[in-house]
Amino acid sequence: MSTRTVIHVEGVEKSYKDLHVLQGVSFDVSAGTIFALLGSNGAGKTTLVRILSTLTKPDAGVASVNGFDVVTQSAQVRDSVSLTGQFAAVDDILTGRENLVLVAQLRHVANAQKVANDLLERFALSDAGGRRVLTYSGGMRRRLDIAMSLIGNAPVIFLDEPTSGLDPLARHEVWTAIRELAEHGTTVLLTTQHLDEAERLADRIGVLHQGRIIVNGTLAELKLLLPPTRVEYVEKLPTLEEVFLTLVGALADVGERRE
């Protein structure tokens, strides 16, 4: 993990007629870290990602990615980033391997087959690489989508609500893939409206509300904003998610023993 700033946002504003979507947003993201932009629907998360990926121009303020200004050096920014939206951009008719090879060829990456095989292994999709994507689960499709976005070794990746619409098991699969991105040195900007997702993944969390960053810090720093609660005795019951994942894991183990 480096202290070098890879994403810099300062005073960014964006409006659509009378709708003020972003109102002076500022934050920095260090290299090799996961920054979670947490906010409800309509908070401006996707608009900010579109600005940082050069798809939309800000009305005011400055922003840079990997040292390049998003307005005046947009071509260099696009060479530095990958973007994964809320819906997996994969071809259902092609196999997982064919999807990866196609993207590698379009990006003129050498050894497309090797790149595809390495990514399939990295994202635990080797056994499914020869299957058509239409047979994949939601979590597998999302992992393939993230793998495709890494072709070309972009140092920065934007993940716009990557677990939207996924079941609990698939969400955990995607979380594992995101952690591995940062472990490999990729800088990740993650937008989400799920508090548990930000809590489990992010090195730093920015809360975007009504177009402004109202708080920005580590999870520990954010927890200090509220006074501690004194508890004499607590009997913690498992959450429904914990029960579901435990049962699914247990059933999978039983199935393997029967085979």
Side-chain angles (χ1 to χ4, degrees):
M1 187 181 299
S2 169
T3 57
R4 179 174 67 91
T5 297
V6 173
I7 302 173
H8 173 66
V9 180
E10 184 177 349
V12 168
E13 299 180 9
K14 185 65 181 179
S15 299
Y16 296 97
K17 296 184 178 180
D18 295 331
L19 178 62
H20 303 296
V21 181
L22 301 175
Q23 304 183 64
V25 173
S26 300
F27 63 88
D28 291 319
V29 182
S30 299
T33 64
I34 301 175
F35 182 85
L37 194 61
L38 185 64
S40 57
N41 284 333
K45 303 186 301 295
T46 298
T47 298
L48 186 56
V49 168
R50 288 180 61 84
I51 289 173
L52 292 174
S53 54
T54 76
L55 297 176
T56 300
K57 290 185 178 181
D59 297 333
V62 295
S64 63
V65 178
N66 204 30
F68 302 111
D69 186 273
V70 297
V71 176
T72 62
Q73 298 173 297
S74 57
Q76 292 93 326
V77 171
R78 287 193 290 271
D79 287 339
S80 302
V81 306
S82 286
L83 170 63
T84 298
Q86 297 180 22
F87 303 98
V90 295
D91 190 320
D92 286 344
I93 303 301
L94 299 179
T95 67
R97 181 175 290 103
E98 288 170 342
N99 269 279
L100 292 166
V101 169
L102 176 61
V103 172
Q105 291 173 339
L106 290 172
R107 295 184 179 176
H108 306 290
V109 174
N111 302 317
Q113 288 287 348
K114 183 179 185 305
V115 169
N117 289 333
D118 289 347
L119 285 169
L120 288 171
E121 182 177 358
R122 177 175 168 183
F123 286 90
L125 291 169
S126 294
D127 292 342
R131 286 166 38 197
R132 289 188 176 186
V133 174
L134 58 85
T135 67
Y136 283 19
S137 67
M140 293 169 68
R141 290 168 60 89
R142 178 53 80 183
R143 275 155 42 212
L144 177 63
D145 191 33
I146 294 173
M148 289 166 61
S149 71
L150 294 182
I151 294 175
N153 296 317
V156 181
I157 184 169
F158 301 130
L159 300 175
D160 191 13
E161 300 196 23
T163 61
S164 177
L166 297 183
D167 62 55
L169 191 59
R171 291 180 71 204
H172 279 264
E173 293 176 353
V174 174
W175 288 350
T176 299
I178 294 172
R179 290 191 193 98
E180 290 179 354
L181 291 178
E183 290 172 1
H184 282 77
T186 303
T187 303
V188 180
L189 174 63
L190 165 75
T191 75
T192 182
Q193 55 182 310
H194 300 296
L195 281 73
D196 59 336
E197 190 160 275
E199 185 171 0
R200 297 193 186 200
L201 294 177
D203 297 297
R204 294 188 68 85
I205 300 168
V207 178
L208 186 64
H209 181 65
Q210 295 182 347
R212 301 179 186 275
I213 297 286
I214 59 173
V215 67
N216 178 2
T218 65
L219 178 61
E221 290 170 344
L222 267 58
K223 286 185 175 181
L224 290 176
L225 296 176
L226 294 180
T229 302
R230 182 176 178 181
V231 178
E232 299 295 338
Y233 173 76
V234 174
E235 181 176 321
K236 181 180 181 297
L237 295 177
T239 65
L240 181 57
E241 182 179 58
E242 290 171 337
V243 171
F244 173 82
L245 292 173
T246 300
L247 289 174
V248 170
L251 291 175
D253 292 340
V254 171
E256 290 176 0
R257 289 197 293 270
R258 288 178 176 175
E259 292 176 358

